[in-house]
Amino acid sequence: MDIEIHKFILHNAPMISTDYIEVAVILPVNQTYVYAIPGAFRADACPGMRVLVPFGRRRVTGYILAEKKESGPYKTKDVLDLLDDHPLFPESDIAFFKWVSGYYIYPLGETIKAAMPAGLDCMDVSCAFVTVKGAQALEAGELPHEEARVLGLASAKEGISLKSLSRRDPAGAAVLRGLEKKDLVQVTAVLQTETAGIKTEKFISLPQETPTLQIRMSAKREKILAIVREAREVSLSSLKRHVPTAANLIKPLVEAGWLNVVNRRVFRDPLGEPVTPDTPPELTDEQAAVVKQIQARADVFSPCLLVGVTGSGKTEVYMRLVADAVAKGRGAIVLVPEIALISQTEGRFRARFGEKIAVIHSMLSQGERLDQWRKISLGKVNIVIGARSAIFAPIREIGIIIVDEEHDYSYKQESGLRYNARDLAVVRAKMHNCAVVLGSATPSLQSCRNVMSKKFFKLELTRRVNNQTLPEITLVDMKKYQGSSCYTDRIITPELGRAIRFCLEKGNQALIFLNRRGFSTFPVCASCGKTLGCPYCDVTMTLHKEADRYKCHLCGHLLISDIRCPDCGTGKIRNLGFGTEKIESMLKTLFPDARVARMDQDSTARKGSTLAILRQIRNRTVDIIVGTQMLAKGHDFPAITLVGVICADLSLSLPDFRASERTFQLLAQVAGRAGRGAEPGRVIMQTFNPDHFTIKAARNQDYLEFFNQETPFRKALMYPPFSRMIQLKISGKNADKTRDHARLAADILVRLNTLEPQAQILGPIEAAIQKISSRYRWQILIKGLYSENISRMVSAMVRDPAIQKVKSVSIAIDVDPYSLL
């Protein structure tokens, strides 16, 4: 164990002094367990560390929560191994994890696992291995096709886990049981070790004593000695930059005593290129007043909604507040909604605070993320910037938490632990007794409601910095082009085309926004009229012309682009509809001299591609940028003077009570990308509903106008923020069993509802998308005034024996759902 880490543990984590510990295992169980800790581990163990423990017939990873003085009424098992040399999270975070687990009705061990970097769990996994008899049978080629296929999968990988086999062959588990009875395979438990690990590197230094053994000194060896002598200690990777063959050359020098080599842990660095330090600008009067008011409340729990128009300098306010927290010896967490935004925010914070920051997001490799986590937990950095998962960063003394673009639905995790990072920011700030700032130009209705009920206090930035004007927004009524063949199939109207031409002639950049990727989104058979749908999901396929494939955006299924109609077998597919790829192609045809780039989930799939595109925009090596929501919020590109919205109504008619809110926020945010430099901005918004209050509020950039129009509908229907809601997502591979299980769950909830008056149970009803990845989907909504009441109902329902005995249908619990699709 490193001396540095050992000192850290001694000063920051309480050692286990009793014979027993409380452990949360990484399994879907709703309780913790007591284990005996052997004396060999007791001196190093402390809360926040992982342990390997027996659970039934297998071994699993667990997290130490606390020491226990006695084992309780049950006979305890011994801890098998201590998996860490320092805590992965401080003991103070355990109360936070327990709150998250209880609120989102999710097992505690799996809650902690969701918070940690991926790849840290060890557990026994059932694997199938081909026996000698099985290998002979496979080679003889006399087995039925299905048995030969399963044996081939197990043989090709020298053993295959049952989970992996089920993914590759849905019927594989049943076939495997027959093979096991014939002694053709053997199923046994194998310990699956962690996939994320620490990185070590060799460091070279001079020995304290003069070497006595003489060896031949080549010019390169002399150079190595000179470099080490000057640096005193140098890493092998640094040495290889000067002498590429250093790895081989130092071996004889070490053996002869001329050099010392030690392995030392190093941190992988995911940060971008070095940045030039900045000088803090002078704050505007509004910024200074906001900073002063938040600082006055910084040492107590103070939830603040900061409403600032786009370009009003909210990021500078954030940096001043973080600097204040750091000066007091405390840490800061800064959340941003999109990974594409992290590089911009990280660059600005590094320019101000140097390298004393860490970043956490899903685009990091497992090793990079583990190293960032370790740097935070060891106290090497105290400023964390990241996407939603950064809310779990193991900072011990938090001084402030900032949630930029607090309205954004990217803060909601839609699988596993379905948490909302914005809401957890408020909870964690309360536990650390510090300020939390939720910033947005288009705040959520939930936060506005919290201001009205005095739970939050509100501050505003009403003007852009440097007195820049908000962009002029023009609505183009698309109905007047219906039935007309004019101008590029009516996708790009003459008004937008002229505005793009004018923008390019002035040497500025244009952003064309469409929140739909791909080339054609509605492929249909020219003969029978059937749409080309995904065979595993109830959605149409999308043509991606660059990849020359049709793709399902839900399950990822691919079809070749020249496929014939699967229904009639003869018809040719006509590609109707449009996405960002088609818009990019059209713009290249309309403006052949312009440099056009596209930024969506497809063009940024490779690591580093997002940064490359953002760098192109910043360096002005592109003239027109076609983008989805990735470019709609937070970015600051002074040369963009025109924003064109291809279809402002795209998400307005979705069967979701938040459809209008999301549409307003997206339109207002993307409009705010225009005119952030010296020249004024302009926005062309194409719409079929120019009189809709959502479109009008977005044009006026007025969130209060939208709030006043939307809230009466929400209140009348008792939808959030005027109620609390839990969505049950019921799914299974058999349509009838899934329907029956949904009805059973609803019946139990109705029976339990007699104990919880005022709760409303809506459903069961088929989900808007009835099938995804071959799983049929139903849903139930439970609404009530108090989250504790409806949570108790749902918890009691999932524990009902009638629900638990059905294993083929799953029920996912989504507390405070953000999407009902």
Side-chain angles (χ1 to χ4, degrees), residues 516-517 520-524 530-544 550-559 566-567 654-655 767-777 821:
R516 180 188 283 169
R517 58 194 177 100
S520 166
T521 56
F522 194 73
V524 62
K530 292 287 185 66
T531 57
L532 181 63
C534 173
Y536 307 108
C537 308
D538 281 336
V539 293
T540 57
M541 302 290 281
T542 298
L543 175 64
H544 289 257
Y550 288 101
K551 184 177 183 180
C552 173
H553 286 173
L554 294 180
C555 72
H557 181 67
L558 297 174
L559 294 173
D567 284 281
L654 291 176
I769 303 174
Q770 296 173 11
K771 186 174 69 171
I772 296 178
S773 298
S774 298
R775 294 186 69 88
Y776 297 90
R777 306 168 70 242
L821 300 180

Side-chain angles (χ1 to χ4, degrees), residues 222-240:
E222 290 281 7
K223 185 176 182 180
I224 288 173
L225 287 172
I227 292 170
V228 176
R229 195 177 293 117
E230 182 179 353
R232 295 191 177 181
E233 185 178 75
V234 63
S235 68
L236 179 58
S237 58
S238 299
L239 194 57
K240 285 164 73 172

Side-chain angles (χ1 to χ4, degrees), residues 3-47:
I3 293 175
E4 171 195 24
I5 294 175
H6 187 65
K7 287 181 178 178
F8 172 84
I9 295 174
L10 287 176
H11 287 93
N12 293 280
M15 297 299 171
I16 301 298
S17 58
T18 60
D19 294 331
Y20 305 102
I21 55 173
E22 182 186 9
V23 175
V25 294
I26 303 178
L27 288 172
V29 291
N30 295 313
Q31 64 185 92
T32 59
Y33 296 87
V34 176
Y35 286 88
I37 179 128
F41 300 142
R42 201 173 301 156
D44 295 322
C46 56

Side-chain angles (χ1 to χ4, degrees), residues 2 5 85 196-204 234-238 240 261-268 367 370-371 374:
D2 291 353
I5 294 175
D85 55 10
I198 60 174
K199 181 181 179 182
T200 61
E201 189 168 352
K202 291 179 178 177
F203 282 81
I204 298 98
V234 63
S235 68
L236 179 58
S237 58
S238 299
K240 285 164 73 172
V261 175
V262 294
N263 279 322
R264 194 169 294 147
R265 295 179 180 184
V266 293
F267 294 115
R268 283 155 281 216
L370 176 61
D371 282 354
R374 289 180 66 243

Side-chain angles (χ1 to χ4, degrees), residues 215-226:
I215 62 170
R216 187 179 65 84
M217 287 292 176
S218 64
K220 287 184 178 179
R221 286 178 181 171
E222 290 281 7
K223 185 176 182 180
I224 288 173
L225 287 172

